[in-house]
Amino acid sequence: MKTIGIDIGTTTISGVVIDMDQKNVIESRTVSNGSFLQAAHDWERIQDVDAILRKAQSLVDELLDRNPDASSIGITGQMHGIVYIDKEGKHVSPLYTWQDRRGDLADEKTGVSPVEEIREKTGAVVSAGYGLVTQLSLQRRGLVPEDAAALCTIGDYLGMVLTGRDRPLIHISNAASLGLFDSRNLRFDLENIRKCGISEELLPEVTADVEVLGLYRRIPVHAAIGDNQASFLGAAGDQEYALLINMGTGGQISLLTDKYTEIEGIETRPFARGKYLLVGASLCGGRAYAVLEQFFRLYAEALAPGAGPQYEVMERLVNGMDRSELSVSTLFAGTRDDPDLRGSVTNISEDNFTPAMLIYGVLTGMAEELYEMYQKISEATRIRAAKLIASGNGLKKNAALQAICSRMFQAELEMAAVKEEAAAGAARAAMSSGVYTEG
């Protein structure tokens, strides 16, 4: 029995075919997303919905053509961001991605940003890029499309397009990512949404199950799940005491629990009925290493035009190292709670300020940011990770970072069994929800 999984990431769109009997990926395909629209402001991060849909649907068709015996289609994609839909189920806006920072912009009259307003009125911890924060920002400026009838994530919208639905039905994992969601009771927090004056009529219907949305080419298409939950499911299944460390554009640690727990600085995200992921997220994550590579590349290009990427040189410089005398904070983009925080390099001496020490220090700083979050989770739950599972190319392709994480978390690090964890997790979620029958 075969299942197809699609993942609409920020930079790539991936698809896999899983043989559910053998429990392995038999085919995978990844294409560039490449849909960012030219921004008028440096805080604006929006993508072309039509471009995304063309690539995603083409990928679905390609996999179905080669696997006509597939029994279901699962979807996941970048969480937090939103696209507006009209009454006919057509999009009427770009995708406002999770990286969009308009929620941090102060109102011209009050001097208060949407993030600050929501926190002051409700006490809820939200960040710029969360769907309902973006909604409030657009609403305050009169920029919500007049014909908008609902909002949803890009994964939800792909499901609508494939099945011809005119109204989004979104899984609790995606709904929670929009902010102002009651994760304990698995519903939008309408009381606090009303306190903020957010238009509740645009809220989508929510489901706790990976329901069938309809058919595409006579194949059941299931409700999209959040990419964090999908990545965990694809990499670790439903293993307890397994800590997933993801280092991609951002950085995340995720631990599965069957108890709803509130921990300061940690998100409790719905996973499935009766199960939650405790998640710590760094804004910069693997991007910190990319920033450092760009620093070295600029120098290399000045020295020898056409020098190109410096990752291979950087990896060679830290080969065999086990510590750095430099202390590096990689809060280059702040934190979700305080986006104004910035990174630093300390303990510099005339002897230790070398490229190798700086590279190793940045890698250590990336790991430390996640480890501090893990300590919070462990202290609150008394759970110690029995296994570390590596996800994301930023970690899976960097041997030095792997060694740092294994030593810091005091557990053996193993690679996720599949390359495209999120797409694989979407496929497994679709299959686990049961078989669809018409009528």
Side-chain angles (χ1 to χ4, degrees), residues 141 145 171 239 259 332 351 363:
R141 290 170 167 75
H171 187 257
Q239 295 183 62
K259 294 181 180 179
F332 301 164
D351 298 318
L363 291 173

Side-chain angles (χ1 to χ4, degrees), residues 240-284:
E240 294 185 349
Y241 309 119
L243 183 72
L244 179 68
I245 303 180
N246 184 295
M247 197 68 78
T249 305
Q252 280 182 338
I253 55 166
S254 305
L255 185 71
L256 185 65
T257 178
D258 57 3
K259 294 181 180 179
Y260 179 86
T261 307
E262 293 184 358
I263 305 170
E264 184 177 359
I266 302 298
E267 290 188 66
T268 304
R269 296 179 176 177
F271 183 75
R273 287 185 184 274
K275 291 185 179 294
Y276 299 88
L277 283 182
L278 297 175
V279 180
S282 59
L283 288 180
C284 215

